[in-house]
Amino acid sequence: MAPLRFSANLSWLFPELPGLPARLRAASSAGFEAAEVAFPYAEPPEALARAVREAGLRLVLINTPPGDQEKGEMGLGAVPGRQAAFREGLEQAVLYAKALDCPRIHLMAGRVPQGADQTAVRSEMEAVFLENLRHAAGVLAQENLVGLLEPINTRITDPRYFLDTPQQVAAILQKVGRPNLKLQMDIFHWQIMDGNLTGNIREFLPIVGHVQVAQVPGRGEPDSPGELNFPYLFELLEDEGYKGFVGCEYRPQGDTIEGLRWLRSYWDRQGRPQAGH
């Protein structure tokens, strides 16, 4: 049974460091072999690709652009009337993914528009999302890229986000029927929405293309106080044969390096030599 491979989410880790190049270097020094970034678009793609290479890392995940965040947008994939902007953002994400040699793009669904009734608009949003996903799957297939759909909890984190359960995403993926679209499993969101993690992981892992982790409810390190038993969950992912990356998408409770004790312990148990050893 292969050990898990971890990715440093540099939109969350190393907040004490300014800019992505410094965070990439820090992640490499901490022993990571891979990194992920939600929105890399502030940096020119060529400069960022050079920083990734110089750090000796692989970039394994980026998101499509969020849209107009000042107007409350957080993704456009399912937002009625924003189809052209979604496709434009997809082209930008593909350009970055190619420059960065990044194989996965999270296709952000977005939020129920302000003032709209969630129940009334749900079927229209799904129809828009299905149309956009069919288009995206074709674009991504030409570049040998994978698109990911992530349910985000609507209890605490984002009450108006369109996707909020793995069941909803699985049904949408089945309707689209494209092999290069997968489910992104953030265990933090899954626990808050539904719990039943053992059952849900076993049921949905065959269609999962990426995993992310954080403790519940504080969204801190996996070994910070909270509801989740990560040694058990990591073993479950190993036992179920998960071969992808596990993104560390959490809010460090203090210094990022000190907070990586849990990961150094995991690597020790696997007998992996660590940076600086």
Side-chain angles (χ1 to χ4, degrees):
M1 144 179 79
L4 299 176
R5 300 182 295 165
F6 290 89
S7 165
N9 189 307
L10 300 183
S11 301
W12 291 74
L13 301 189
F14 305 102
E16 62 272 15
L17 297 176
L20 276 175
R23 294 182 185 191
L24 287 162
R25 289 191 296 271
S28 178
S29 296
F32 284 101
E33 296 171 2
E36 56 197 65
V37 181
F39 306 120
Y41 306 106
E43 307 259 358
E46 297 79 10
L48 192 52
R50 188 166 56 250
V52 171
R53 282 195 306 272
E54 288 173 356
L57 291 172
R58 309 166 57 183
L59 206 65
V60 297
L61 175 68
I62 60 173
N63 294 1
T64 49
D68 190 339
Q69 289 182 288
E70 288 185 9
K71 292 184 178 174
E73 290 182 330
M74 184 50 74
L76 301 172
V79 181
R82 296 289 273 149
Q83 289 94 321
F86 170 78
R87 293 180 184 206
E88 192 178 308
L90 176 67
E91 295 297 333
Q92 187 182 19
V94 168
L95 182 104
Y96 270 74
K98 287 170 65 179
L100 297 165
D101 200 21
C102 175
R104 297 169 201 82
I105 300 175
H106 170 200
L107 306 171
M108 297 198 75
R111 294 169 172 153
V112 174
Q114 290 277 11
D117 178 81
Q118 297 214 24
T119 311
V121 80
R122 208 158 192 76
S123 62
E124 182 189 1
M125 290 188 74
E126 181 170 306
V128 168
F129 201 28
L130 291 172
E131 178 192 340
N132 279 336
L133 289 175
R134 290 187 184 105
H135 169 79
V139 170
L140 296 174
Q142 289 174 6
E143 305 295 345
N144 201 26
L145 298 171
V146 171
L148 298 171
L149 310 188
E150 180 187 19
I152 294 174
N153 84 79
T154 49
R155 294 186 193 276
I156 298 170
T157 301
D158 200 334
R160 291 189 299 111
Y161 203 74
F162 175 65
L163 297 178
D164 63 359
T165 67
Q167 291 84 357
Q168 180 192 8
V169 172
I172 286 171
L173 289 174
Q174 191 165 21
K175 287 176 185 175
V176 178
R178 300 295 171 87
N180 65 329
L181 299 182
K182 303 283 186 185
L183 171 61
Q184 182 168 317
M185 173 172 72
D186 188 324
I187 289 175
F188 171 81
H189 296 306
W190 288 29
Q191 168 68 3
I192 289 170
M193 286 306 294
D194 195 38
N196 187 32
L197 289 177
T198 301
N200 283 335
I201 288 170
R202 285 181 174 149
E203 179 178 355
F204 294 110
L205 201 61
I207 59 169
V208 165
H210 192 70
V211 173
Q212 292 172 325
V213 294
Q215 186 56 270
V216 177
R219 210 165 188 178
E221 288 89 348
D223 65 345
S224 60
E227 300 172 13
L228 299 180
N229 177 355
F230 273 101
Y232 167 79
L233 292 171
F234 291 154
E235 191 171 331
L236 177 64
L237 289 171
E238 292 168 2
D239 289 347
E240 294 296 312
Y242 178 64
K243 298 288 193 294
F245 283 92
V246 177
C248 302
E249 188 179 277
Y250 60 76
R251 189 178 296 110
Q253 304 298 285
D255 178 78
T256 300
I257 296 290
E258 286 181 20
L260 287 168
R261 284 184 307 270
W262 66 274
L263 184 52
R264 291 191 289 272
S265 297
Y266 179 87
W267 285 336
D268 281 343
R269 287 195 302 277
Q270 302 298 330
R272 174 187 146 161
Q274 293 176 33
H277 286 201

